[in-house]
Every structure is written in C-alpha cells, then in structure tokens.
Amino acid sequence: MTKKLFILLLSVSCLFFTDCGKKNGESKSKPLFTDSNKNVAEQSKTDTSIYVNYLCENDIGRTPYYILKGKTETPVIIIDGGIHGDEIAGYMACDTLLKYLKVTEGTVVIIPKLNLPACNATRRGLKNDFNRVFPGNKDSDDYEYRLAYYFMNFIDSLKPDVVINHHEARTKFDSEEYRKNPDKAFGQVLITCITPSEELLKNALKNLNGKIIKPEFLYNIQYYPLQPNHSLDNIVSKLKIKSYTVETYRGFRIADRIKMHLLADLAFFEEIGIKYEFPEINFDER
C-alpha cells in the first residue's frame, strides 16, 4: 500500500508540472518526496512525514500544498482554504493545522490558500470569482479557470475519502430564513449538495457540535441546490467524491472562527478514521 500511494502521489506531481505553466513557458517536473521538501511545518512531528509541492507551478495561480502522512497512508482527506481570498479564517485554520497537527495514521493534504493571488490581495476574487469557474479550462487565458482544472485533476488523481472546503458568510444561519431562501449563503453550516444528507456528514455534525459549548456557535447542515460551476458540486457530481463546505459566520471574532474551522476538520478526521494529535481547542468565556 505504501509503495502504491507513493507512486500515485509522484504521478500527481508530474501531472501538474507538465501543463499548468503553459501560459508562462514550459514547466519542469521535480520529485514530490525529497529530503529537502520534508519538515516544512514549524513544529517537529516525529511520526509524521511532511512534504510540500505546488499546484500550477510557473503560473500566476501557483500555490503550495502540503502532505502530512502518518504510519499508514489511508484514509485520505484534502482540506482547502482561500477559494475566496477575503474569507481569512479558513486559510488561517489551515496554517494552524500545518503548525500543530501530527498525523499518526492516514494522510492529510492541505492547500491553505488555493486561490493565492486573491488571498494575497484579501479580495474575494480578482478577474473571476474562483468558485464560479469549475470544472475549469486548462487552455483559458484566465488563471482561475486553469487553476480550477488542475485542482479537479489533482483531486481525481488522489481519490481522497473526502474533500473539505473552508468558506465564510456574512449571514448567520436562521432556520426560518433558510426555509424561505435555501440557496442563500449562511454561516455556521456544513454545506452539502446531496439530499438526504449522507451518514458521514450527519455523524461529523454530531461530533462537531458535541465539542462546542456556546449555543450560538453550533453548526447546522445546509442543503444547497446543485450549482454547475461551484467547486463542491463538481467534486461530487463529476468525480463522485464526497465533499462538504465548512462555513463560519463572519460576525464572530476571527479567533473563534478559526477554532470552529479547526474543530470541523478534526471532526471529519475522526469520522473517516484518521488518527492524529492536536492541542486542545478552547473558547474564551467572553
């Protein structure tokens, strides 16, 4: 199993270095697993192998991804933040995972700032809304379409158990408002495009809310009607891979939003069987 996954990840690396930089010259392939690429996180993780590589190298959309591998390779989860560059709690949570997470069994792939140019500008998007260009187009003149295409291929090549997307919303979930406007963006929700909700999602919600003391922080499941150009919907409908969105409410303090994203990630780890160590997450009393 070890050899097979290593070969798979190496082939994924070659896939992205082959074509993604075509708009800016040829891109050269380089190995994913090298000693120089290990231990990129700030904290030493004795039982965790850590590797870094890039989506869309030699392209304006170039962004790093990190692979944290325990003693066993499966199960596998992909976590991304920064699809929208102004939704900062998601990618700050990814950075926190990189710093403190120790994976003992399974593989966690983290893409902290998937839309890095928009994150650097702290804007929702630049030329296009990145979450409206899926499944992407490798030949597009706009980097968002190219990045979406290679992100989809990256996921398809790894065949993870689940993909978690981090977002934020300006309206807190309200059941009555949701009943009237089911396609409205809400905070404090786990979003799915499948109804009825899958057992994995329902169990993760129960796990997550069991760790939240403040009632106002509790999450709900939101079924969001299928959108043909959204990332989550394409991952589910075209790749047949489970994917959910964790959406926090921007009205809460940034520190609390980061913690809620982290708790959601850990809940999904536990539900799919990833073994890990992570510092206890506590909320301030105020």
Side-chain angles (χ1 to χ4, degrees):
M1 197 69 180
T2 299
K3 187 176 295 183
K4 287 177 66 177
L5 186 63
F6 266 52
I7 292 172
L8 174 59
L9 289 170
L10 275 169
S11 66
V12 171
S13 175
C14 293
L15 169 67
F16 291 109
F17 292 130
T18 299
D19 293 321
C20 196
K22 66 178 294 184
K23 295 293 178 180
N24 295 284
E26 291 299 318
S27 177
K28 295 181 179 180
S29 177
K30 61 183 179 183
L32 177 59
F33 298 106
T34 65
D35 289 338
S36 62
N37 282 342
K38 286 187 178 181
N39 302 323
V40 295
E42 294 180 26
Q43 180 169 311
S44 174
K45 304 175 178 67
T46 306
D47 297 324
T48 306
S49 299
I50 309 170
Y51 308 93
V52 61
N53 218 333
Y54 295 88
L55 291 179
C56 286
E57 189 155 24
N58 295 338
D59 191 291
I60 188 175
R62 178 181 187 267
T63 189
Y65 64 87
Y66 304 84
I67 299 171
L68 285 69
K69 186 180 72 65
K71 294 178 180 178
T72 62
E73 284 73 26
T74 58
V76 179
I77 187 171
I78 295 177
I79 298 172
D80 66 74
I83 284 180
H84 290 140
D86 61 342
E87 298 174 6
I88 64 175
Y91 61 73
M92 293 178 75
C94 288
D95 287 340
T96 305
L97 280 178
L98 282 172
K99 186 173 183 178
Y100 295 111
L101 178 65
K102 176 181 176 181
V103 179
T104 56
E105 293 183 22
T107 299
V108 177
V109 180
I110 303 173
I111 313 174
K113 298 178 180 180
L114 183 54
N115 187 3
L116 185 57
C119 291
N120 288 341
T122 321
R123 290 170 53 186
R124 179 180 177 88
L126 298 184
K127 188 172 182 180
N128 301 281
D129 184 330
F130 183 50
N131 206 29
R132 302 294 186 273
V133 301
F134 283 81
N137 181 351
K138 67 182 179 67
D139 297 317
S140 175
D141 289 331
D142 297 340
Y143 85 86
E144 294 97 339
Y145 284 86
R146 300 194 300 273
L147 180 59
Y149 174 86
Y150 286 102
F151 179 50
M152 287 286 290
N153 276 270
F154 180 74
I155 295 170
D156 191 33
S157 297
L158 286 184
K159 297 288 193 299
D161 294 271
V162 65
V163 179
I164 302 300
N165 315 284
H166 287 293
H167 284 272
E168 299 199 88
R170 299 184 184 277
T171 303
K172 189 174 182 292
F173 181 84
D174 176 83
S175 57
E176 182 61 24
E177 181 67 17
Y178 172 51
R179 187 183 65 80
K180 296 176 182 177
N181 300 291
D183 57 350
K184 181 180 178 63
F186 292 102
Q188 300 315 112
V189 296
L190 303 179
I191 297 176
T192 179
C193 62
I194 294 178
T195 186
S197 298
E198 296 162 305
E199 287 302 311
L200 171 60
L201 180 61
K202 292 189 287 187
N203 291 338
L205 176 71
K206 182 178 180 180
N207 183 328
L208 170 59
N209 281 342
K211 298 175 181 178
I212 294 176
I213 298 176
K214 295 186 177 183
E216 62 268 31
F217 288 169
L218 293 175
Y219 280 81
N220 297 271
I221 291 176
Q222 179 183 3
Y223 165 70
Y224 200 94
L226 189 71
Q227 305 295 313
N229 54 5
H230 286 200
S231 59
L232 180 153
D233 308 75
N234 275 271
I235 294 168
V236 172
S237 64
K238 289 186 169 59
L239 303 183
K240 311 302 180 187
I241 292 172
K242 291 181 174 63
S243 184
Y244 309 108
T245 292
V246 177
E247 192 119 20
T248 51
Y249 170 49
R250 289 197 194 189
F252 294 137
R253 296 186 311 143
I254 182 63
D256 289 333
R257 284 147 50 199
I258 293 169
K259 292 174 183 177
M260 286 184 280
H261 278 290
L262 288 168
L263 284 175
D265 290 335
L266 301 182
F268 280 106
F269 290 175
E270 292 165 13
E271 292 307 318
I272 68 171
I274 287 177
K275 305 299 183 184
Y276 69 91
E277 295 177 15
F278 194 80
E280 184 177 357
I281 298 173
N282 295 305
F283 292 92
D284 295 338
E285 292 299 322
R286 56 179 176 151

